[in-house]
């Protein structure tokens, strides 16, 4: 099995704060991490490799510093890594991103399975995975919470839905986007970390990918951000003070008055 | 054509006023003048700020042939034959957008034995309903749903297509957008029209809900967006409202789907009724340990409430994802929302701040959750919650 | 503080940190409550290669020394001393083979231990012999090509869970401590059984129990070094491992300190977080200072061990005694900072305080450590004359 795992380097959104005055993101001191959902994709890829043999290739599109995320993926056990990086890729929306990743995957070569996290925590769009699959003309299943079986060119999976789950079967090669219920990611190994230090990582730009310059980056993006602003908030708020017994008494009184409780 | 923000270095005074307003860190000072780097998305924030009008942000031209597209279309999601609530929310919003643009509103309905429901969509505001009614659409697969909706869009050429940002919508709409070759904005929480340019202004949270971004799709048509459920309001049903139902024939023989739905399993483990609940009690990291969720469950039981959880609590593995409220979980708007030990990261707030009454219990008076709370209680949740349970039980005893 | 770790040392620390925070912390209370051996966690640790940290590369390890071992142990101990004890005890079981085993023994056992496929244990203590190794009753008698072991070991960490046991037994009772020898016994050897599992005050995730040898026959080439070397093997093993106990103490103290600081920052009394009160600040300051001093001493001792020094008993003993006393004090004070909350099972500090006590007892009580230090001072004083 050759499994390609697409990852994204993202700022740790738990650390991102907004400057109340300028309404801009404070990025100073915010760590870059591998998108947490992608860690489940990587883990699932490694588990499939452990079971069936083969190799796991990780692929990302990003600035040169995204290489550190690929090295991190290697420390977890990925065999090879490819960085799609070019100044022309900057500012890409999901449309241009999935085009570029699809070109990167074509460059990597034949594969059996592509795994992606269900979405990236910085954009939360969940559009790149399906976009890649469509461009490669392969079937995909989103929100996969379990891989039941792989064999005979077929994969059988469970898809998490709002009100339960669906069981589906699809032909290989295919693309899956996974949810966190699918597994519990491992920790990196010492040997993996040592290997990650020295492993060669291929870097491909527009030229190497033979990509259409009109379809990558900001130039190739169908959508455009025209405004950024802080989320609306603030309502009238009333503090309820006193000892816990008093606090609770007051609160229940107020809620009863509002007919919210009996 | 190169799309790039241009700075007139003769005009630029090097005042640096533009630097802090750029949301993307795309501006830097070079030899005393502002300059633009790769991070620029042409958002225009800097141009508005520049006191000497030295910054020019190109405005994207509309694509050729965009006038051929007209009307607003919504995807009317159904599961197991029942039209989803989000479809009615979309119809209401879609109606408003269509009226602003002075165009018609249509709906696309896919499924098995769904034709009978088409009228309900008309009664909720649709002028036209495209229906593909076939047994192979009984369950949801990206391939068949994608294929059908793509055909409907290609035939009817709407300028705007909206779908719910649900498990189904977020799964197959990206496929449709890619097939058609247009842009797609995910998970919008607000939609409006720039009437001058006839552009759909699509607003959504990003960076875990820390910022809101307004996005447009200037050149390609249709403009497509998925819209978060429970954010838009439903409209009033107009019984007897008339409209057109257009059944679409698909040549099923030519379809050779690569994926197959084997089984639909309804929620298995615990029933999480967050979406419908009138009262929700949510626990966060302040609970410190998995076992303390018992307190939340007990309080919820006393209030006949559903149990919610912050992302922190879910990430810590204390409770299943089905309970998660927030940007990456469910959006809820109950009558009463009680947040216990939830600090109120923006990612959580965007998922619950439209609740009618919000009670926040937290030991940190500066916790952001208090910013959206109707009632704030600073204190130790391990003292307050047991006391609440006690007093609620006492009331029950008296009744 | 910056201890100028190498890139490799930093890696070890990071991995152990990740395991501690992501894997151990969520389950530590349950393991403690149920006295459950952390098999799954040890698998995670094995998968991350940490069992091989101080085993030479030619035997499948990472080739680090005592210092590298301390870094791993410290981080794991920050989350749970029971888990770190189970981990460190395997290293303790490996040291006799590593230090005194022949090439054949090293090749057979060390790669298994380094990969974590097999867990090791070290067995010296008996009901009549703890710090006094001369009181060992377990005997080993050479009969043809086999040694026959008889006797019972008690309070053995990893008993029943480990696959490989380094056992000290008497081959010649007349010679006292010099009549002791070290052997490798494998789980499954005929006549080798396990007795009752102890219920303990702390480190309840770790397994502590009896090893029962009843006409237990092992091939004669399982002896480590030669007959009569048992006492030396044991003492050198402890010299080697004691900085590790010190590292356990440092990690535990750090874990308790972190809990105390985070609690004091959020606990509101009289309208203010209690960390703003000087009485609390001073306690935290002393806890932090003690922890850092212990860390500095443990690291110095471990680096001294790794420098190739011949005799490091004193440094090892100092690291163990100072750090474990520090951990006892810091964990006790952490409970105090949390007050009533800290006394409750719902918070981790009461467990940390229960766990801390063993550090002053095992691998040579702190009184015995002071004996070692005192005797060394006497020796050094004599040499100076």
């Amino acid at each position: 099995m050759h499994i390609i795992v697409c990852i994204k380097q993202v700022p740790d959104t738990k650390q991102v704060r907004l400057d109340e005055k300028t309404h801009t993101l404070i990025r100073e001191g915010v760590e870059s991490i591998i998108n947490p959902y992608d860690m489940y994709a990587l883990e699932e890829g490694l588990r499939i490799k452990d079971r069936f043999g083969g190799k796991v290739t990780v692929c990302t599109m990003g600035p040169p510093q995204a290489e550190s995320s690929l090295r991190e993926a290697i420390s977890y056990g990925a065999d090879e890594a490819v960085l799609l990086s070019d100044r022309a890729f900057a500012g890409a929306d999901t449309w241009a991103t999935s085009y570029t990743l699809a070109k990167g995957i074509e460059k990597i070569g034949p594969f059996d399975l592509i795994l992606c996290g269900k979405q990236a925590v910085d954009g939360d769009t969940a559009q790149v995975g399906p976009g890649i699959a469509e461009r490669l003309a392969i079937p995909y299943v989103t929100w996969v919470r379990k891989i039941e079986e792989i064999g005979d060119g077929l994969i059988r999976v469970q898809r998490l839905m709002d009100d339960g789950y669906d069981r589906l079967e699809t032909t290989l090669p295919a693309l899956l986007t996974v949810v966190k219920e699918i597994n519990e990611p491992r920790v990196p190994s010492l040997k993996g970390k040592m290997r990650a230090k020295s492993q060669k990582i291929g870097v491909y730009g527009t030229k190497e990918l033979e990509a259409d310059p009109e379809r990558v980056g900001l130039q190739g993006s169908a959508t455009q951000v025209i405004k950024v602003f802080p989320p609306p908030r603030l309502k009238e708020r009333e503090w309820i003070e006193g000892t816990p017994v008093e606090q609770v008494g007051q609160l229940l009184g107020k809620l009863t008055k509002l007919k919210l409780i009996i | 054509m190169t799309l790039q923000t241009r700075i007139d270095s003769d005009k630029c005074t090097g005042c640096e006023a533009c630097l802090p307003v750029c949301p993307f860190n795309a501006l830097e000072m070079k030899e005393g003048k502002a300059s633009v780097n790769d991070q620029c998305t042409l958002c225009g924030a800097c141009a508005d700020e520049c006191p000497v009008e030295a910054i020019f942000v190109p405005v994207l031209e509309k694509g050729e042939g965009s006038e051929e597209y007209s009307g607003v279309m919504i995807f009317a999601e159904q599961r197991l034959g029942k039209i989803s609530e989000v479809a009615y929310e979309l119809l209401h919003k879609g109606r408003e957008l269509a009226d602003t643009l002075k165009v018609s509103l249509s709906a696309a309905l896919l499924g098995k034995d769904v034709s009978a429901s088409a009228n309900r969509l008309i009664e909720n505001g649709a002028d036209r309903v495209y229906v593909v009614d076939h047994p192979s659409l009984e369950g949801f697969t990206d391939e068949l749903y994608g294929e059908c909706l793509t055909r409907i869009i290609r035939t009817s050429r709407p300028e705007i297509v909206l779908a719910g940002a649900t498990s189904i919508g977020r799964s197959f709409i990206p496929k449709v957008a890619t097939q058609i070759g247009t842009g797609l904005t995910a998970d919008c929480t607000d939609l409006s029209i720039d009437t001058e340019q006839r552009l759909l202004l699509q607003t959504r949270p990003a960076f875990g809900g820390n910022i809101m971004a307004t996005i447009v799709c200037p050149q390609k048509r249709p403009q497509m967006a998925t819209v978060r459920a429970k954010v838009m309001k439903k409209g009033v049903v107009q019984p007897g409202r008339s409209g057109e139902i257009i059944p679409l024939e698909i040549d099923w023989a030519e379809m050779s789907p690569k994926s197959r739905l084997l089984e639909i399993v309804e929620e298995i483990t615990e029933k999480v009724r967050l979406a419908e609940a009138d009262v929700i009690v949510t626990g966060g990291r302040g609970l410190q340990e998995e076992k303390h969720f018992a307190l939340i469950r007990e309080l919820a039981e006393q209030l006949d409430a559903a149990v919610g959880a912050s992302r922190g609590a879910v990430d810590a593995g204390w409770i299943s994802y089905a309970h998660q409220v927030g940007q990456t979980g469910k959006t809820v708007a109950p009558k009463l929302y009680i947040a216990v030990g939830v600090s109120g990261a923006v990612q959580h707030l965007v998922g619950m701040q439209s609740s009618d009454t919000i009670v926040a219990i937290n030991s940190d008076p500066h916790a952001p959750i208090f910013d959206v709370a109707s009632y704030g209680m600073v204190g130790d949740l391990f003292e307050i919650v047991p006391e609440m349970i006690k007093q609620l039980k006492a009331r029950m005893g008296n009744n | 503080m910056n201890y100028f770790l190498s890139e490799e040392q930093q890696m070890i620390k990071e991995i152990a940190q990740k395991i501690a925070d992501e894997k151990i912390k969520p389950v530590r209370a349950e393991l403690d409550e149920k006295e459950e051996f952390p098999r799954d966690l040890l698998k995670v640790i094995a998968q991350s290669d940490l069992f091989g940290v101080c085993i030479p590369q030619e035997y499948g390890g990472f080739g680090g020394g005592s210092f590298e071992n301390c870094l791993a142990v410290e981080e794991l101990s920050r989350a749970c001393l029971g888990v770190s004890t189970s981990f460190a005890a395997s290293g303790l079981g490996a040291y006799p083979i590593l230090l005194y085993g022949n090439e054949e023994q090293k090749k057979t056992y060390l790669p298994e231990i380094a990969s974590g496929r097999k867990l090791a244990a070290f067995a010296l203590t008996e009901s009549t012999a703890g710090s006094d190794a001369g009181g060992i009753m377990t005997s080993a008698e050479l009969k043809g090509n086999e040694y026959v072991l008889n006797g019972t070991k008690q309070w053995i960490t990893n008993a029943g869970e480990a696959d490989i046991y380094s056992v000290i037994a008497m081959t010649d009772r007349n010679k006292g401590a010099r009549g002791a020898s070290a052997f490798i016994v494998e789980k499954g050897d005929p006549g080798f059984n396990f007795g009752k599992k102890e219920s303990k005050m702390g480190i309840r995730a770790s397994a502590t129990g009896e090893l029962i040898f009843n006409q237990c026959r092992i091939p004669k080439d399982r002896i480590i070094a030669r007959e009569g070397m048992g006492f030396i093997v044991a003492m050198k093993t402890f010299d080697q491992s004691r900085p590790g106990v010190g590292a356990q103490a440092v990690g535990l103290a750090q874990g308790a300190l972190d809990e105390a600081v985070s609690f004091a920052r959020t606990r509101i009394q009289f309208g203010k977080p209690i960390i703003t009160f000087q009485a609390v600040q001073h306690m935290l300051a002393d806890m932090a200072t003690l922890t850092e001093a212990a860390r500095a001493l443990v690291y110095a001792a471990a680096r001294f061990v790794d420098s190739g020094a011949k005799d490091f008993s004193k440094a090892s003993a100092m690291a163990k005694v100072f750090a474990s006393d520090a951990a006892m004090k810091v964990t006790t004070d952490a409970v105090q900072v949390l007050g009533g909350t800290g006394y409750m099972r719902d918070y981790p500090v009461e467990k940390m305080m229960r766990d801390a006590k063993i550090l002053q007892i095992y691998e040579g009580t702190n009184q015995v450590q002071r004996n070692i230090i005192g005797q060394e001072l006497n020796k050094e004083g004599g040499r100076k004359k």
Side-chain angles (χ1 to χ4, degrees):
Chain A
M1 291 279 289
H2 182 201
I3 302 142
I4 296 174
V5 180
C6 298
I7 65 172
K8 182 179 186 187
Q9 188 176 52
V10 296
D12 189 344
T13 49
K14 283 183 210 147
Q15 297 177 16
V16 173
R17 290 283 167 273
L18 205 68
D19 186 319
E20 295 293 339
K21 280 194 192 120
T22 62
H23 300 164
T24 54
L25 290 174
I26 303 168
R27 297 180 194 225
E28 248 169 55
V30 175
E31 268 175 82
S32 286
I33 56 169
I34 296 180
N35 172 40
Y37 293 113
D38 299 345
M39 294 306 293
Y40 299 97
L42 176 60
E43 175 65 29
E44 201 58 25
L46 295 173
R47 287 186 187 193
I48 296 170
K49 181 183 98 171
D50 290 346
R51 251 175 71 198
F52 298 97
K55 71 171 177 181
V56 172
T57 303
V58 279
C59 178
T60 192
M61 183 191 93
Q65 54 272 31
E67 189 194 300
S68 64
S69 286
L70 292 172
R71 296 207 181 275
E72 194 182 337
I74 292 169
S75 77
Y76 280 82
D79 300 283
E80 280 168 31
V82 170
L83 173 63
L84 311 180
S85 193
D86 193 317
R87 287 176 68 97
F89 295 165
D93 72 351
T94 59
W95 211 79
T97 303
S98 48
Y99 170 76
T100 310
L101 281 166
K103 293 300 278 185
I105 288 164
E106 279 171 1
K107 175 93 181 170
I108 290 168
F111 60 89
D112 301 286
L113 190 62
I114 301 173
L115 296 169
C116 304
K118 71 162 180 171
Q119 64 200 46
V121 295
D122 55 349
D124 283 322
T125 70
Q127 289 173 183
V128 171
I132 294 170
E134 189 54 36
R135 288 198 149 88
L136 294 171
I138 57 169
Y140 68 89
V141 182
T142 52
W143 335 129
V144 173
R145 62 163 217 176
K146 189 178 179 177
I147 294 178
E148 290 183 350
E149 235 181 282
I150 304 176
D152 292 335
L154 290 172
I155 186 164
R156 196 172 294 169
V157 301
Q158 292 180 5
R159 170 175 67 195
L160 185 68
M161 299 299 281
D162 290 336
D163 52 1
Y165 67 93
D166 293 345
R167 294 179 57 240
L168 294 109
E169 186 178 76
T170 187
T171 56
L172 292 176
L175 180 145
L176 309 178
T177 79
V178 306
V179 294
K180 65 182 291 234
E181 283 74 7
I182 195 166
N183 58 43
E184 194 187 327
R186 66 191 66 189
V187 287
S189 71
L190 212 41
K191 285 180 187 133
K193 280 202 171 228
M194 296 296 283
R195 195 162 56 80
K197 245 181 20 169
S198 54
Q199 176 114 348
K200 241 183 107 123
I201 290 178
V203 184
Y204 303 135
T206 313
K207 211 192 270 169
E208 291 82 1
L209 295 181
E210 294 166 39
D212 178 353
E214 294 290 315
R215 298 175 77 179
V216 301
L218 188 59
Q219 187 85 19
S221 295
T223 59
Q224 184 192 349
V225 177
I226 54 163
K227 196 171 119 193
V228 173
F229 56 100
R233 55 166 69 178
L234 278 176
K235 285 189 183 179
E236 284 294 314
R237 180 228 304 121
E238 187 181 329
W239 291 109
I240 298 182
E241 287 161 341
T243 65
V245 179
E246 292 163 4
Q247 282 178 307
V248 170
Q250 285 182 51
L251 176 72
L252 296 187
K254 288 172 194 292
L255 296 182
T256 313
K257 231 181 238 171
L258 291 169
K259 295 198 163 61
L260 289 169
I261 58 173
I262 313 159
Chain B
M1 176 188 66
T2 351
L3 290 170
Q4 212 172 15
T5 296
R6 218 159 42 75
I7 295 175
D8 188 332
S9 54
D10 294 336
K11 280 190 184 170
C12 177
T13 61
C15 74
E16 300 192 9
C18 52
L19 296 193
V21 301
C22 176
F24 304 101
N25 286 0
L27 291 164
E28 45 204 33
M29 296 303 289
K30 276 189 187 157
E31 293 162 12
K33 307 276 181 182
S35 102
V36 183
N37 66 28
D38 295 344
Q39 304 294 320
C40 179
T41 72
L42 306 181
C43 78
C46 51
D48 295 344
E49 192 67 23
C50 182
V52 293
E53 295 182 4
I55 306 178
F56 302 97
V57 181
V59 178
L60 291 176
E61 299 294 322
K62 257 193 225 174
E64 278 172 44
S66 65
E67 60 281 353
E68 290 171 30
Y69 289 82
S70 169
V72 177
M73 172 179 285
I74 68 115
F75 170 67
E77 180 175 328
Q78 56 81 25
R79 181 107 163 125
L80 305 168
K82 186 176 176 284
I83 305 276
S84 304
E85 286 295 297
V86 71
Y88 300 121
E89 293 162 22
L90 291 175
L91 281 172
H92 187 58
K93 189 69 191 180
R95 187 71 258 168
E96 180 193 312
L97 299 175
D99 290 348
T100 309
L101 289 165
K102 301 188 173 63
V103 293
S104 66
L105 173 66
S106 61
L109 179 61
L110 314 175
K112 178 193 169 209
D113 301 331
V114 290
S115 301
S117 305
N119 233 357
R120 295 209 55 200
L121 300 175
I122 292 169
E123 287 177 351
N124 277 276
D127 301 315
R128 219 173 300 124
V129 182
Y130 296 92
V131 185
V132 185
D133 198 331
H134 192 268
S136 56
L137 296 174
E138 182 175 14
F140 164 69
T141 62
D142 294 285
E143 275 181 283
L144 296 182
Y145 272 54
E147 197 58 44
C148 290
L149 186 61
T150 298
R151 288 189 191 195
I152 292 174
I153 292 171
R154 284 198 172 131
T155 320
S156 62
R157 299 185 153 244
E159 63 200 287
I160 292 173
V161 175
L162 307 176
T166 58
S167 298
I168 290 175
R170 299 187 76 191
S171 184
F172 89 104
I173 298 295
K175 179 186 177 80
V176 173
T178 309
Q179 279 183 342
I180 291 175
T182 189
L184 171 62
T185 306
D187 209 18
C188 296
T189 52
D190 189 29
L191 296 170
S192 60
I193 299 286
D194 175 340
T195 42
E196 221 171 277
Q197 302 195 54
R198 282 184 86 85
L199 277 181
L200 179 64
L201 302 174
Q202 308 158 96
T203 298
R204 68 183 301 268
F207 280 98
N210 284 292
I211 55 169
M212 305 297 289
T214 302
I215 294 165
V216 294
C217 178
Q219 291 180 300
K220 310 241 164 134
R221 289 294 174 273
Q223 307 164 79
M224 293 181 69
T226 60
V227 180
R228 187 175 296 188
K230 284 232 149 198
V231 172
M232 309 295 175
K233 293 220 157 26
K234 282 201 292 179
V236 184
V237 185
Q238 304 163 54
R241 190 174 181 280
S242 67
E244 197 183 350
I245 296 174
I246 306 170
L248 242 79
E249 288 306 320
I250 302 274
D251 184 0
W252 294 99
E254 73 174 57
M255 297 260 189
S256 51
K258 291 172 180 155
S259 41
R260 202 154 62 86
L261 182 67
L262 304 172
E263 189 186 0
I264 297 173
V265 185
E266 281 202 84
E267 188 60 282
I268 15 44
T269 49
E270 49 192 319
K271 188 83 180 157
V272 187
R273 44 188 187 98
L274 278 178
E276 307 103 73
D278 284 335
V279 183
I280 295 175
V281 182
T282 289
R285 270 209 188 267
L287 289 166
Q288 312 207 348
E289 274 185 70
E290 181 175 0
K291 60 182 172 190
H292 298 148
F293 242 98
L295 270 178
I296 299 297
R297 291 207 170 86
E298 201 180 341
L299 180 58
E301 200 176 307
Q302 290 302 320
L303 294 164
D304 194 22
V307 173
S310 72
R311 172 151 133 192
V314 173
D315 282 354
W318 299 342
I319 189 161
S320 73
Y321 170 71
H323 292 269
Q324 188 172 319
V325 173
Q327 166 91 355
T328 44
K330 291 205 167 59
T331 302
V332 297
K335 290 189 179 130
L336 175 60
Y337 188 89
I338 303 180
V340 180
V342 176
S343 66
V346 184
Q347 97 95 19
H348 184 75
L349 301 185
V350 296
M352 47 63 78
Q353 60 192 357
S354 19
S355 309
D356 293 345
T357 299
I358 298 170
V359 176
I361 301 168
N362 203 296
S363 61
D364 176 7
H366 303 297
I369 188 77
F370 288 121
D371 292 344
V372 298
S374 331
Y375 299 108
M377 290 161 81
V378 178
D380 185 348
L381 73 93
F382 295 107
E383 290 175 9
I384 294 174
V385 176
E387 182 60 31
M388 272 179 90
I389 295 166
K390 198 174 117 194
Q391 293 196 20
L392 285 166
K393 276 187 179 161
R395 284 162 169 251
M396 295 296 279
N398 291 339
N399 288 352
Chain C
M1 226 170 277
N2 187 344
Y3 290 96
F4 302 100
L5 303 186
S6 70
E7 205 178 340
E8 282 84 4
Q9 289 162 349
Q10 195 60 42
M11 285 179 189
I12 293 168
K13 197 175 151 82
E14 278 168 16
I15 291 175
Q17 221 162 29
K18 219 171 159 60
I19 296 173
D21 292 332
E22 292 175 14
K23 307 289 179 185
I24 302 179
K25 275 188 182 171
V27 297
R28 62 182 170 187
E30 191 185 342
L31 293 173
D32 177 64
E33 181 83 31
K34 295 187 179 161
E35 299 194 278
E36 193 180 309
F37 189 74
R39 275 180 211 98
D40 292 345
L41 288 175
L42 294 179
K43 258 183 222 154
V44 168
I45 296 172
Q47 202 174 34
S48 70
D49 302 331
L50 289 188
F51 274 108
V53 158
C54 56
I55 289 177
Q57 284 174 342
E58 62 258 48
Y59 306 115
F62 181 72
S66 177
F67 186 50
E68 282 75 12
N69 185 50
C70 282
L71 291 172
V73 166
E74 178 188 340
E75 286 306 324
L76 298 177
S77 306
R78 198 167 46 81
C80 177
L81 199 67
V83 174
S84 89
T85 295
S86 312
F87 166 75
S90 191
L92 188 66
Y95 273 129
I97 304 172
L98 187 57
L99 297 173
Y100 291 96
N102 59 35
E103 192 55 30
E104 196 55 39
Q105 290 168 337
K106 288 184 185 176
K107 270 195 202 148
T108 309
Y109 296 105
L110 294 182
E112 296 292 305
I113 297 171
S115 65
R117 282 191 296 270
K118 288 190 174 163
L119 204 59
F122 180 77
L124 170 69
T125 306
E126 299 180 10
S127 58
T128 52
S131 299
D132 174 14
I136 291 173
M137 300 294 290
T138 299
S139 64
E141 200 184 335
L142 186 62
K143 283 188 177 165
N145 280 332
E146 291 176 328
Y147 276 100
V148 180
L149 277 66
N150 279 291
T152 300
K153 294 285 175 187
Q154 76 172 11
W155 302 339
I156 304 306
T157 305
N158 287 351
E161 301 292 344
D163 308 282
I164 301 161
Y165 296 80
S166 292
V167 178
I168 309 295
M170 285 293 180
T171 39
D172 188 346
R173 199 171 307 284
N174 299 325
K175 289 187 183 163
R178 289 193 187 156
S181 305
F183 299 91
I184 302 166
V185 182
E186 293 181 28
K187 195 182 208 170
D189 279 337
F192 177 31
N193 289 297
F194 304 105
K196 70 167 176 162
K197 186 183 167 185
E198 304 289 347
S199 185
K200 305 189 292 294
M201 173 187 187
I203 55 166
R204 288 158 59 88
S206 71
T208 308
E210 285 178 335
L211 310 185
I212 299 168
F213 304 98
N214 184 7
Q215 294 293 324
C216 167
R217 290 175 289 112
I218 56 171
K220 72 172 181 187
D221 59 11
R222 294 263 200 89
I223 189 168
I224 299 174
R226 53 176 200 279
E227 282 195 16
M229 283 288 285
F231 186 64
I232 295 180
V233 169
M235 289 309 111
K236 291 292 172 191
T237 290
F238 284 140
D239 281 352
Q240 201 64 229
S241 71
R242 271 177 195 134
V245 180
Q248 283 194 298
V250 172
L252 177 63
Q254 186 66 51
L257 174 65
D258 293 346
E259 292 291 338
V261 170
S262 110
F263 180 85
R265 282 169 50 81
T266 51
R267 169 70 170 178
I268 311 276
Q269 289 287 277
F270 308 104
K272 282 192 276 186
I274 62 169
I275 200 166
T276 58
F277 302 125
Q278 231 172 34
V280 175
Q281 281 179 7
H282 287 185
M283 281 181 81
L284 293 173
D286 286 345
M287 290 158 72
T289 309
L290 208 48
T291 305
E292 202 58 61
R295 181 177 288 120
L297 180 55
V298 167
Y299 285 8
R303 282 175 160 153
F304 182 54
V305 170
D306 293 339
S307 71
K310 261 200 176 138
D311 192 354
F312 40 78
S313 314
K314 189 178 75 177
S316 281
M318 283 175 162
K320 193 258 176 186
V321 77
F322 185 81
S324 59
D325 284 351
M328 194 68 242
K329 170 110 178 71
V330 171
T331 52
T332 308
D333 286 349
V335 173
Q336 191 68 24
V337 169
L338 271 75
T341 308
Y343 199 70
M344 300 300 142
R345 282 277 163 107
D346 296 343
Y347 286 78
V349 288
E350 65 82 29
K351 168 185 180 294
M352 291 174 171
M353 182 177 162
R354 283 187 284 113
D355 287 349
K357 192 64 208 171
I358 192 62
L359 296 168
Q360 295 178 310
I361 299 172
Y362 69 16
E363 295 200 30
T365 65
N366 280 11
Q367 286 67 35
V368 165
Q369 305 306 312
R370 290 181 167 94
N371 290 350
I372 295 170
I373 298 166
Q375 283 154 13
E376 289 296 319
L377 290 173
N378 190 13
K379 261 198 257 173
E380 285 167 16
R383 277 200 292 272
K384 272 183 198 156
K385 268 188 187 166

